[in-house]
Amino acid sequence: MFNVVSNIHWLSVLAAFVAYYLLGALWYLVLFPQPYKVSLGKAHETLQNQSALFVVGPGVCVLVSVLATALLFQALHIASYGDALGLAVVVGVGYLVANTTNIAINPNIPQPFLYSAITSSYHLVGITLTCLLLAALR
């Protein structure tokens, strides 16, 4: 599986990383800031998310997801947009949505299904963008 590393188109990885990462800023700071705060039980608070951890950490996680998807993309010989969308659904629903929902179901998140809906949909859109960019720039 790892013999495909040399086949990865690194410009597509960079483009996918930037798109997915910036989508996060758009998602949480512009589109859904209040519902996200509600999901965390902090509707009337200012979130303490200004440190480097909350900027760099998600970027590192997105980069790992994009790299893993690029490896799968090459190993599975994805060659069409249809196959790219299929991979996005499998990875998005099978791993990202399932894992996000599992994380949300704990006593520290008062609105787990709202949190899951917001965060899972972000990851599903992000991985779909990733797969489409990997297909477009291969």
Side-chain angles (χ1 to χ4, degrees), residues 73 77-86 131-132 135 138:
F73 202 88
H77 306 289
I78 303 294
S80 70
Y81 289 113
D83 289 343
L85 288 173
C131 288
L132 291 174
R138 66 181 181 298

Side-chain angles (χ1 to χ4, degrees), residues 66-91:
V66 169
L67 287 171
T69 304
L71 281 171
L72 288 172
F73 202 88
Q74 291 301 319
L76 296 171
H77 306 289
I78 303 294
S80 70
Y81 289 113
D83 289 343
L85 288 173
L87 179 62
V89 169
V90 169
V91 170

Side-chain angles (χ1 to χ4, degrees), residues 9 11 17 19 35 38 56 63 85 94 97 101 106-107 109 111 117 121:
H9 189 271
L11 181 60
F17 164 73
V38 168
V56 176
L63 182 59
L85 288 173
V97 171
T101 303
N106 76 65
I109 298 180
Q111 301 276 341
S121 59

Side-chain angles (χ1 to χ4, degrees), residues 1-8 67-68 71-72 74-75:
M1 160 104 95
F2 294 104
N3 60 342
V4 300
V5 171
S6 62
N7 297 332
I8 292 175
L67 287 171
L71 281 171
L72 288 172
Q74 291 301 319

Side-chain angles (χ1 to χ4, degrees), residues 3 13 16 30 40 47-49 58 66 72 75 82 87 95 104-106 109 112 121 129-130:
N3 60 342
V13 170
V30 177
L40 297 172
L47 296 180
Q48 302 300 316
N49 58 356
V66 169
L72 288 172
L87 179 62
Y95 293 111
I105 302 170
N106 76 65
I109 298 180
S121 59
L129 278 172
T130 295

Side-chain angles (χ1 to χ4, degrees), residues 1-137:
M1 160 104 95
F2 294 104
N3 60 342
V4 300
V5 171
S6 62
N7 297 332
I8 292 175
H9 189 271
W10 294 101
L11 181 60
S12 67
V13 170
L14 178 63
F17 164 73
V18 169
Y20 199 156
Y21 184 71
L22 292 178
L23 177 68
L26 176 68
W27 209 262
Y28 293 104
L29 299 175
V30 177
L31 297 175
F32 303 106
Q34 193 57 34
Y36 182 64
K37 286 172 38 174
V38 168
S39 76
L40 297 172
K42 298 177 183 271
H44 304 293
E45 299 176 36
T46 299
L47 296 180
Q48 302 300 316
N49 58 356
Q50 303 304 313
S51 75
L53 175 65
F54 297 102
V55 176
V56 176
V60 171
C61 293
V62 164
L63 182 59
V64 170
S65 294
V66 169
L67 287 171
T69 304
L71 281 171
L72 288 172
F73 202 88
Q74 291 301 319
L76 296 171
H77 306 289
I78 303 294
S80 70
Y81 289 113
D83 289 343
L85 288 173
L87 179 62
V89 169
V90 169
V91 170
V93 174
Y95 293 111
L96 299 172
V97 171
N99 193 47
T100 298
T101 303
N102 188 47
I103 290 167
I105 302 170
N106 76 65
N108 295 314
I109 298 180
Q111 301 276 341
F113 296 112
L114 178 59
Y115 175 90
S116 179
I118 294 165
T119 303
S120 292
S121 59
Y122 156 65
H123 286 298
L124 196 53
V125 171
I127 206 65
T128 301
L129 278 172
T130 295
C131 288
L132 291 174
L133 285 166
L134 291 173
L137 300 174

